Amino acid sequence: MNLFDPQLLDRCISCGFCLPACPTYALTGDEGSSPRGRITLMRALDTGVLDVDDPRVREEASFCLGCRACEPVCPAGVQYGQLLETWRDLEWAGRDRPLVARLLTTVTAVTPLLRLLGLVRRPARGAGPPDRSLMLGCVERGLFPGVSRAVRRLLPGIAVPPAQGCCGALHAHNGDSQRGEELAHRLGEQLPGVVVTTSGGCAAHLATVLGRERVQELSEHLVATGTTPVGEVRVGGRRARVALQDSCHLRNGLGVAAQPRALVAAVADLVPVPGEATCCGAAGTYSLLRPGDSRRILDPKLDAVEAAGVDYVVTVNPGCLRQLDQGLRRRRSRVRAVHLADLLLDAAGGRALPRPRRRALRAGRG
Amino acid sequence: MGLGPDLVAELEAVVGAEHVRTARGDLEPYSRDATPMFRGAPDAVVWPRTAEEVAAVLRLATRHGVPVVPRGAGSNLSAGTLADRGGIVLVLTRMTSILEVDADELLARVEAGVTTAALAEAAAAKGLLYAPDPGSRTVSTVGGNVATCAGGLRGLKYGVTRNYVLGTTAVLPTGEIIRTGGRLWKDVAGYDLTRLLTGSEGTLGVLTEITVALLPMPATTGTGVAYFPSLADAGRAVTAVIGAGIVPATLEFLDAKCIGAVEDYAHLGLRRDAGALLLFGDDGTDDVVARTLDRIGELSTRHAALEVTLAEDVVRSEALLAARRCALPALSRLGTLTILEDATVPRPRLAEMVGRIDEIAARHDVDIATFGHAGDGNLHPTCVVDRHDEDAAQRAHKAFGDVFAAAIAMDGTITGEHGVGAAKLPYLQDRLGADQVALLRRIKAAFDPAGILNPGKLGS
């Protein structure tokens, strides 16, 4: 039937090398919740053996985090993320997507609403030379407007057009990839020059639509332009101990992992933590749509972060920041989740980071 | 076909309802393993947690006459884990405990579903080496490795999985739980059932626990590469190396087609004008490794090598190993159906065999590139065609039939490390002869009188 692009679907050689990389397979040990198994389900859809209403097919389209950890380990170069987008388009064609996803994708697609949000939350603004511009992600604009203001101070020359819409990543990942593509194109027209983003998810989606050369995530941009961080982050009279949580889409989609580490290491003691490269369970709207599974993914990661004895865990994506921040607060951890931009600004003597909480008497999991 | 509600209910009573699945969407993902072109959907998938649960499932299957196919990660390339006669796929991926790693006894005891990489890491954490290193080690399970007697890149010096299995716990189709071997290197009481189960491909019993021998971790490793005008020259160099009493850990080759594909894909700076390359490596103390690599370099140069490069450090060494490791990805990108095969010939006839493979490929009008383990004569001819070109797939299939026949004609064999499975069963009698195949069937019947365990594979 060719529901899927055969060029993409035929790539998979069923070797199974993706299995150990997949966080949901790690939870279940069931082939059906592995990338190879899901591709088998897609093939069954393609040949009509199963249809989109099959309960397992629907469940797996939703259960997958979309973290793309399977892509870097795939010998055959399967572009799983793109297959997943097509799959979700099929699953949700002609029926109501989950309310949360609908709400978010509707709100973020309306530029005037985003501008209004900008007035309230006051993200960065300012006109610089049009060779590069800062993208104000819509989730970040609402939840963490300080991040873009931090970037504005780290990169004083950058243009920040106030009129900018959503990149459409949320739409592409939630069963509406056509809308996701339109929004990305529109944003590409609104932002001059190289688009610098503070969100791994947005960066990966924009790069897919606008081309890799148009888009740089913050750490990538700083390293590429030789913008060396200055100063250091200190906690209680010593250099801060900092863990890094990769953004899945940044690491697996765009191959950016060394740059944020280099920047963190320049201003603090970078502490490697097991599992730092795997999904935190935020996964776009996943933590809202499947909170139970999201926490099953997050909990071992928080255990590892706490065991590493760090002061901060740095993220490069607003969804991950929100996920880790909430998780750490929930268990009253002393560790704080912060965005890379805020860490660098603190090191440079700008706005100070929130101090690590004093350790609770007993490690509570409230 | 389906299993009938009674049996499903009984299975659920044994392993819990959440660990028995019979819906179409749950079975479909288990309708294939890593073998191209082979399919076979089960009627149920069952995930046991203990040997006792495995035993109960097998007793039920024997009573109802339902086939059971044991499965680990399903990474095998011989259709060995496909339920091509329906029945139950018994998945051991919940049995993932590393029960012990003992540095004094130099052994580890693990459940069957532990991945090979996890075992190797647990051993390394205590300064020990688990020597077998199949290319699929990050995904493949120890149970599956033992069932197929998996090999790997260190096979020349260290041998295959068989050499490391000290003991097993296996569940027979009739429900008995037996322990074979144990914790000893020297243990000769009775028939060697440990060896019989190793490589039995899930046809005699279901392995649930395995004790493997470990080695002290070598102090250092080193790698080098030598380019030759032709594979025949490389073959002569290999003969010279072994003849000089040098047994390196690794001695791998790529033919010219593989070199081209790898270079197109990974841009490692390999010499495209070479007809073959040999990748060699050793481990041990610094001085021994350095001396071995120098000697191999010298012997290669004496046997017409165009160039020999030794890696100065680990990073450079990894870059060289990448050339061998990425042979499969590089080749797989040339088309959409990649058939990676496995045959072995006596070491001195390796180059001759690759020549035969090239002839066979030309005769059937398909492209076959070959890489593999030069040190032990185990080669991996790999054919890449368009998935939707059924004629090409058929031609490839026929070509491999001829390749196996050629291997047998050279006193070689139809598989060195992937196993026979369903895919190569048609060629087995050519290799073993009718009397031996009949004996295999009698052995199978002794273990599995009802014939329920992995039917259509060894012993069928």
Side-chain angles (χ1 to χ4, degrees):
Chain A
M1 276 194 279
N2 283 356
L3 300 172
F4 295 87
D5 179 351
Q7 292 291 325
L8 294 178
L9 201 55
D10 286 350
R11 286 275 84 205
C12 175
I13 56 173
S14 297
C15 64
F17 280 33
C18 51
L19 268 57
C22 178
T24 53
Y25 178 73
L27 288 181
T28 65
D30 181 347
E31 178 81 32
S33 44
S34 78
R36 176 176 65 175
R38 289 181 175 126
I39 286 175
T40 304
L41 291 174
M42 294 183 216
R43 283 180 167 148
L45 282 173
D46 215 47
T47 52
V49 171
L50 296 173
D51 63 44
V52 291
D53 291 321
D54 182 277
R56 185 63 189 265
V57 171
R58 293 197 63 180
E59 165 65 9
E60 288 305 331
S62 155
F63 186 32
C64 176
L65 292 151
C67 70
R68 297 165 68 183
C70 44
E71 290 188 29
V73 298
C74 174
V78 174
Q79 291 170 291
Y80 179 85
Q82 292 204 33
L83 285 170
L84 178 66
E85 286 183 12
T86 308
W87 189 12
R88 289 189 170 164
D89 284 357
L90 289 170
E91 286 302 315
W92 285 315
R95 64 172 145 222
D96 285 343
R97 284 174 291 130
L99 183 65
V100 181
R102 250 186 305 156
L103 212 63
L104 268 173
T105 51
T106 309
V107 170
T108 53
V110 184
T111 307
L113 272 178
L114 288 180
R115 295 197 65 177
L116 195 65
L117 188 63
L119 287 176
V120 182
R121 299 293 285 161
R122 295 188 305 113
R125 48 177 55 204
D131 63 332
R132 58 182 172 167
S133 47
L134 177 65
M135 180 197 144
L136 304 166
C138 34
V139 172
E140 199 170 80
R141 207 173 322 188
L143 295 180
F144 310 108
V147 170
S148 60
R149 294 202 295 268
V151 178
R152 187 78 177 83
R153 292 182 61 185
L154 294 169
L155 295 167
I158 198 163
V160 194
Q164 44 178 294
C166 166
C167 71
L170 286 176
H171 308 75
H173 301 156
N174 283 287
D176 193 357
S177 56
Q178 194 190 340
R179 186 90 181 108
E181 202 168 311
E182 286 164 15
L183 287 169
H185 280 300
R186 204 171 75 192
L187 186 63
E189 287 158 20
Q190 290 165 334
L191 299 177
V194 170
V195 179
V196 178
T197 88
T198 46
S199 153
C202 304
H205 174 69
L206 274 178
T208 307
V209 181
L210 301 181
R212 184 69 180 95
E213 62 292 341
R214 265 291 314 267
V215 183
Q216 284 183 347
E217 180 272 339
L218 176 68
S219 72
E220 199 185 0
H221 182 72
L222 292 172
V223 170
T225 54
T227 315
T228 319
V230 292
E232 65 177 3
V233 179
R234 298 187 71 79
V235 171
R238 60 170 170 81
R239 209 167 144 91
R241 291 168 54 79
V242 176
L244 183 88
Q245 167 62 38
D246 281 296
S247 145
C248 292
H249 279 219
L250 191 62
R251 182 186 183 95
N252 305 323
L254 299 182
V256 174
Q259 294 93 322
R261 286 177 171 74
L263 295 173
V264 170
V267 301
D269 287 344
L270 176 66
V271 180
V273 175
E276 63 191 12
T278 62
C279 185
C280 65
T285 53
Y286 195 92
S287 59
L288 304 173
L289 298 174
R290 301 183 68 110
D293 290 322
S294 173
R295 280 190 63 176
R296 285 166 79 197
I297 303 272
L298 176 65
D299 279 338
K301 181 175 294 291
L302 295 183
D303 292 344
V305 164
E306 292 204 296
V310 295
D311 306 302
Y312 297 102
V313 52
V314 164
T315 69
V316 290
N317 187 61
C320 314
L321 178 54
R322 182 189 148 276
Q323 171 89 342
L324 291 172
D325 184 49
Q326 270 192 358
L328 290 166
R329 280 171 194 276
R330 206 184 291 127
R331 54 167 77 186
R332 300 199 193 97
S333 170
R334 70 179 292 275
V335 183
R336 298 264 191 176
V338 296
H339 193 283
L340 176 66
D342 284 324
L343 183 86
L344 297 178
L345 185 61
D346 176 294
R351 192 180 60 234
L353 292 174
R355 274 216 288 283
R357 297 174 195 91
R358 239 178 284 160
R359 193 183 287 280
L361 284 177
R362 260 177 348 103
R365 292 255 192 115
Chain B
M1 178 168 94
L3 292 184
D6 288 356
L7 178 52
V8 172
E10 287 174 306
L11 288 169
E12 287 177 348
V14 170
V15 295
E18 71 273 33
H19 298 124
V20 179
R21 299 280 175 79
T22 55
R24 192 67 219 247
D26 296 326
L27 304 179
E28 188 63 22
Y30 286 92
S31 68
R32 58 169 86 207
D33 54 24
T35 321
M37 299 189 294
F38 283 81
R39 304 275 174 281
D43 299 305
V45 184
V46 176
W47 290 264
R49 179 64 195 89
T50 62
E52 287 70 24
E53 289 183 6
V54 171
V57 171
L58 290 180
R59 268 195 301 272
L60 285 171
T62 287
R63 200 169 78 223
H64 290 261
V66 169
V68 175
V69 180
R71 174 172 167 131
S75 56
N76 80 87
L77 292 161
S78 61
T81 49
L82 286 186
D84 43 8
R85 317 220 166 154
I88 297 165
V89 164
L90 192 70
V91 188
L92 300 174
T93 51
R94 287 176 66 218
M95 301 180 66
T96 54
S97 299
I98 294 177
L99 302 166
E100 63 171 311
V101 178
D102 192 313
D104 295 328
E105 272 189 280
L106 285 176
L107 59 78
R109 198 161 54 84
V110 300
E111 288 185 325
V114 170
T115 66
T116 316
L119 165 59
E121 274 165 33
K126 294 203 174 179
L128 303 172
L129 174 73
Y130 177 61
D133 67 333
S136 59
R137 65 194 172 285
T138 58
V139 53
S140 62
T141 61
V142 178
N145 282 187
V146 175
T148 55
C149 195
L153 258 59
R154 287 194 286 252
L156 177 57
K157 181 170 177 178
Y158 291 107
V160 293
T161 303
R162 168 186 296 139
N163 304 100
Y164 297 88
V165 184
L166 296 176
T168 71
T169 299
V171 184
L172 303 186
T174 41
E176 298 102 313
I177 300 174
I178 59 168
R179 291 181 187 276
T180 72
R183 307 170 69 92
L184 307 171
W185 269 106
K186 298 181 82 167
D187 181 357
V188 297
Y191 296 141
D192 192 347
L193 296 183
T194 304
R195 281 237 171 174
L196 182 57
L197 288 170
T198 305
S200 67
E201 304 186 26
T203 60
L204 301 181
V206 177
L207 299 169
T208 55
E209 191 189 301
I210 293 131
T211 306
V212 294
L214 304 174
L215 301 169
M217 185 67 82
T220 187
T221 59
T223 314
V225 65
Y227 296 92
F228 294 87
S230 73
L231 195 67
D233 295 311
R236 281 189 283 275
V238 170
T239 305
V241 167
I242 307 288
I246 304 166
V247 184
T250 297
L251 198 48
E252 302 282 309
F253 76 97
L254 299 185
D255 73 0
K257 285 177 198 154
C258 288
I259 295 174
V262 166
E263 197 46 32
D264 287 344
Y265 164 62
H267 313 291
L268 298 169
L270 305 179
R271 279 184 69 151
R272 286 174 185 275
D273 62 340
L277 72 75
L278 273 187
L279 184 76
F280 50 92
D282 202 12
D283 53 23
T285 55
D286 289 351
D287 54 330
V288 167
V289 171
R291 205 168 54 231
T292 306
L293 296 192
D294 280 343
R295 281 287 283 146
I296 296 176
E298 224 174 271
L299 288 163
S300 298
T301 307
R302 206 183 301 162
H303 286 83
L306 302 166
E307 183 188 336
V308 177
T309 312
L310 300 186
E312 298 112 37
D313 51 37
V314 179
V315 176
R316 196 56 209 138
S317 180
E318 277 303 310
L320 290 181
L321 286 170
R324 168 64 176 83
R325 292 215 181 100
C326 74
L328 170 62
L331 290 169
S332 81
R333 280 161 221 240
L334 301 176
T336 49
L337 182 69
T338 306
I339 311 169
L340 168 63
E341 271 303 353
D342 173 32
T344 310
V345 293
R347 190 188 306 119
R349 302 186 76 173
L350 187 89
E352 183 190 347
M353 180 64 185
V354 176
R356 289 281 293 128
I357 292 172
D358 288 344
E359 277 166 41
I360 291 166
R363 183 145 41 81
H364 292 277
D365 189 24
V366 287
D367 268 331
I368 298 182
T370 304
F371 60 95
H373 317 285
D376 44 30
N378 182 201
L379 27 81
H380 295 306
T382 303
C383 183
V384 185
V385 296
D386 175 3
R387 186 182 293 276
H388 302 288
D389 184 347
E390 287 193 12
D391 189 53
Q394 272 312 312
R395 293 200 307 273
H397 184 68
K398 286 195 182 124
F400 280 120
D402 290 356
V403 167
F404 299 136
I408 292 168
M410 283 185 200
D411 294 326
T413 188
I414 58 174
T415 171
E417 58 183 12
H418 291 176
V420 174
K424 290 198 209 172
L425 197 63
Y427 311 107
L428 187 65
Q429 185 155 323
D430 296 340
R431 165 71 179 127
L432 299 184
D435 289 347
Q436 213 181 145
V437 167
L439 176 60
L440 255 53
R441 289 189 181 130
R442 293 203 296 278
I443 293 171
K444 163 80 172 164
F447 279 77
D448 180 16
I452 54 126
L453 200 53
N454 215 355
K457 319 287 164 62
L458 286 178
S460 290

